[in-house]
Structure formats: C-alpha cells, structure tokens
Amino acid sequence: MRKYDLLRSGDSIIRVLEVQGDRVLVIDCIKRAMPVWVEVTELDSYSECTIGELSEVTGVAMVSVDALDADQRKTMYERYTVIAPVLAFVADDRMRSRLICSVAEEYGVSKGNRQEPPLPISGLQGRDCSCSEASGG
C-alpha cells in the first residue's frame, strides 16, 4: 500500500493520504468526511480502484486542467489556494483542524465551532509547531 492509492471495497472508495507503520490515513471519497487513521489490517478487503470507477460511482467526471475554460481554471486555482496551507499538515489532526479554522476565517468560507484559537497562516512559515503549542499549552 502506498500514499495516494485509490482503494475500493463494495460501495466504499478511499484514498490513502499517509502510511505510517501499521497505520494508514485515509479519506472516504464517497462520504467526503475528514481523513481518519485506520489499522492496515482494516483495509484487507480493499482492492485497487481506478479513477474511472470513482467517477462512475460519484457521478463526477475528471477532466484535465487543459480542458477547463478560463473561469473554471480561475476557480480551481482559487480553491487550491484556500486549501494549500492545510496540505502539509494533513496527517496531524490537531494542526490540520486549527489550520482549517484559520483558513475558513481568513477566506470567510465557513463559520464553525472551534475549541482552540486558530493559528495565523502567515505566522507558520519557519515555526516549529509542536503538539504542546498547537494545543495551547
């Protein structure tokens, strides 16, 4: 099993985001929920899945960037800009959550309940964000 593998078991399709020893960080491509850590053995019933299968199940057609018109390309880049700061911390639940709060606040894309104050995106570069710092302690 490798990072970015697309796997299927019955009606479930998941993407592998990170592999650390016996644990795997996966995201459910159907439910579109937050990524979760699972034991490798929990994925024994899964087999490789193609992008075509994912498109068929979700009803979302995958197209190349070159096939997008100017407005679609602009929207794609704007959305990527919003999520880009979070990607480096996708395997760190606490930092990912705090960054999502910060990004949501900065871009005004959602208002959610949060238990910890957000970190400023611009203040993260070059900082050592330890678990104690992320938890506010």
Side-chain angles (χ1 to χ4, degrees):
M1 182 173 317
R2 297 176 314 214
K3 194 172 182 176
Y4 308 122
D5 279 354
L6 194 58
L7 305 172
R8 183 176 191 170
S9 179
D11 293 335
S12 176
I13 299 177
I14 60 173
R15 170 83 65 188
V16 174
L17 300 177
E18 187 77 35
V19 179
Q20 293 181 355
D22 294 339
R23 297 180 336 144
V24 181
L25 183 66
V26 299
I27 189 162
D28 189 315
C29 298
I30 308 301
K31 294 179 183 174
R32 299 180 186 169
M34 291 297 289
V36 294
W37 286 100
V38 298
E39 297 295 321
V40 172
T41 56
E42 292 180 47
L43 304 178
D44 287 344
S45 65
Y46 284 77
S47 58
E48 286 189 37
C49 180
T50 66
I51 293 290
E53 289 176 84
L54 178 61
S55 291
E56 185 178 313
V57 170
T58 61
V60 176
M62 308 293 173
V63 297
S64 78
V65 174
D66 296 333
L68 300 175
D69 65 32
D71 287 338
Q72 292 169 323
R73 191 172 290 156
K74 179 183 176 199
T75 299
M76 179 196 71
Y77 285 124
E78 286 172 348
R79 290 179 181 174
Y80 180 78
T81 299
V82 171
I83 67 166
V86 179
L87 298 177
F89 297 97
V90 73
D92 182 334
D93 295 340
R94 186 173 304 248
M95 284 300 297
R96 182 183 69 226
S97 293
R98 293 199 57 204
L99 283 169
I100 288 171
C101 287
S102 293
V103 167
E105 194 171 279
E106 182 175 336
Y107 289 94
V109 293
S110 73
K111 302 260 184 203
N113 294 335
R114 62 178 184 263
Q115 297 176 359
E116 300 176 1
L119 291 174
I121 300 297
S122 58
L124 285 177
Q125 291 180 316
R127 283 184 59 186
D128 176 23
C129 299
S130 66
C131 289
S132 61
E133 180 182 348
S135 66

